[in-house]
Amino acid sequence: MMMKNKLLIFPVLLVCSFFGCSGGNNEIIGTSGTQAFHLEIVDSIRIDYLGDLEITDIHQETAEILGFNFRTKDLVIFDQTGKIIEQFSRGGDRPNPINSMVSLGFYKGDKLLVANNNGMLAVFEKNGVHIEDIPLPFQIQYFNWTQRKKIYSLSDSLLLGQIAELKNFNGYEEYYLNFIDLKTGELTPALSIPDSSKYSSGDYYFSLYPYITKMGDYLYMLLSNEPALHVYKLEGMNVGYVETIEFGGDEFVEVISSKDHEDFDFEMNFDQMQPGAVEGFFDVGDFLVAYFRKGIDATVYKEEFSDDPLLTMQMNPHYLAVFDEEHKLLNNGVEVPLQVGFIQGVMPDGRLLAKKNKYLLKEEEDFEMYYLMELIEE
């Protein structure tokens, strides 16, 4: 059984960056799979909080759920019964603010680790009391594409995470995975995009939005407009590329790329169609799942989609691609129920946590509702 969403890497893996981490034979596997599954809503969590919370982390021992309201800067921690354990705000002009996050998650037990556009990593108690700042050698650029935890503790002096640095006014440099030395503030790249990826060609496909997850002895990389699971194996002091498994199928809508970001045609890509998007990767017990949308191509896209979120969701639903623990693709078309707004994490027991789709409501509610879902093998 694979470990549940925990990153435990020995500091000695820094050596991989000096010997190269991609390697391998760039094997590409593509198959739709035939095994039948469905997603079943098995429980719900009601939290008496009026506001739009995004779940950034789930504690894999206590099952406490960490949510953040990006509008009001409220930080809320609640349990599986919906009981609020902590609630506070450190936004605005308050000292040591928690806002404009790049990463927010549990750290060393009950502490919180925040990376924001003040250019620092900051450590807080769970109740919001500031403990310390960890300076970095550059200004972190606020570009929070997933609103989730992206920095993990490996030891007292080493972190592993994804953060972005402002490069110039026309763009930013994306770090796909880095070791962060807390003693020196230096970053050492630990993972590169494999040659099997279309993003390695040098063409511009809009922002990469990389998702990197560690499970057991494997690292998994997914990139936003590419329905492909890139698998890496941790072998001693090396991170070695293993294989790429494609799971999108013929219906996945590809971005119309350009040679560079200045020539990218936003109108053609986002006003005349909706590209497919890979949005997460989870360990749900006996299976691994990629969370994605196939997109809407130009032949069926309508202008009213931009003004009707519910219609867009109906035309462009979320799916799960299901893999076994050996990375064999079992199914790439398990549809996510429409009443589920967005899958935001996985509980310690493998159930998926998802926010309720508020676009289905006829009137506003004064509470937040989350669903717990199980992947059922038929």
Side-chain angles (χ1 to χ4, degrees), residues 45-64:
I45 301 174
R46 168 177 166 156
I47 170 175
D48 290 324
Y49 173 83
L50 181 58
D52 192 14
L53 287 178
E54 296 292 340
I55 304 305
T56 66
D57 197 16
I58 299 172
H59 201 294
Q60 291 301 301
E61 294 178 1
T62 67
E64 291 178 348

Side-chain angles (χ1 to χ4, degrees), residues 121-310:
L121 304 178
V123 182
F124 294 84
E125 296 285 0
K126 192 167 65 172
N127 61 8
V129 175
H130 177 258
I131 299 174
E132 63 175 330
D133 289 323
I134 303 171
L136 291 173
F138 58 82
Q139 178 82 14
I140 295 175
Q141 170 69 0
Y142 172 50
F143 198 84
N144 193 350
W145 55 84
T146 59
Q147 300 174 336
R148 63 175 173 85
K149 176 180 179 177
K150 294 191 286 289
I151 299 178
Y152 303 84
S153 175
L154 307 182
S155 70
D156 289 340
S157 60
L158 193 65
L159 304 177
L160 181 70
Q162 296 171 262
I163 49 181
E165 174 186 7
L166 182 65
K167 185 169 61 175
N168 53 51
F169 290 109
N170 295 319
Y172 62 93
E173 183 175 347
E174 291 180 273
Y175 288 91
Y176 311 115
L177 194 70
N178 289 268
F179 292 101
I180 306 168
D181 190 320
L182 299 182
K183 293 181 178 179
T184 65
E186 295 180 355
L187 275 69
T188 306
L191 198 63
S192 59
I193 292 178
D195 294 340
S196 59
S197 170
K198 72 180 183 183
Y199 285 94
S200 67
S201 68
D203 289 346
Y204 186 71
Y205 291 89
F206 197 57
S207 298
L208 288 171
Y209 303 154
Y211 296 85
I212 299 171
T213 308
K214 181 185 180 297
M215 299 175 187
D217 293 331
Y218 290 92
L219 286 171
Y220 302 95
M221 175 188 285
L222 297 103
L223 302 169
S224 56
N225 184 242
E226 182 174 67
L229 178 64
H230 303 296
V231 183
Y232 298 79
K233 181 72 177 293
L234 301 178
E235 297 174 327
M237 296 184 296
N238 188 42
V239 180
Y241 172 82
V242 177
E243 61 184 347
T244 293
I245 304 100
E246 297 178 346
F247 58 82
D250 296 336
E251 296 179 353
F252 191 87
V253 180
E254 300 275 350
V255 164
I256 301 172
S257 63
S258 63
K259 290 301 179 183
D260 56 55
H261 71 274
E262 293 182 352
D263 295 330
F264 187 76
D265 193 331
F266 288 91
E267 181 178 353
M268 183 180 295
N269 277 286
F270 298 106
D271 293 338
Q272 299 178 22
M273 69 177 194
Q274 190 170 99
V278 181
E279 300 177 356
F281 190 67
F282 306 103
D283 177 1
V284 296
D286 293 332
F287 305 102
L288 308 174
V289 297
Y291 179 53
F292 72 106
R293 283 180 167 142
K294 297 180 181 180
I296 307 173
D297 68 28
T299 63
V300 298
Y301 188 83
K302 299 179 181 180
E303 187 174 339
E304 54 262 36
F305 288 165
S306 60
D307 299 320
D308 192 337
L310 183 57

Side-chain angles (χ1 to χ4, degrees), residues 4 17 72 85 126 145 238 241 300 313 327 339 346:
K4 299 285 186 192
S17 61
T72 65
I85 299 168
K126 192 167 65 172
W145 55 84
N238 188 42
Y241 172 82
V300 298
M313 292 175 184
H327 311 129
Q339 59 262 47
V346 60

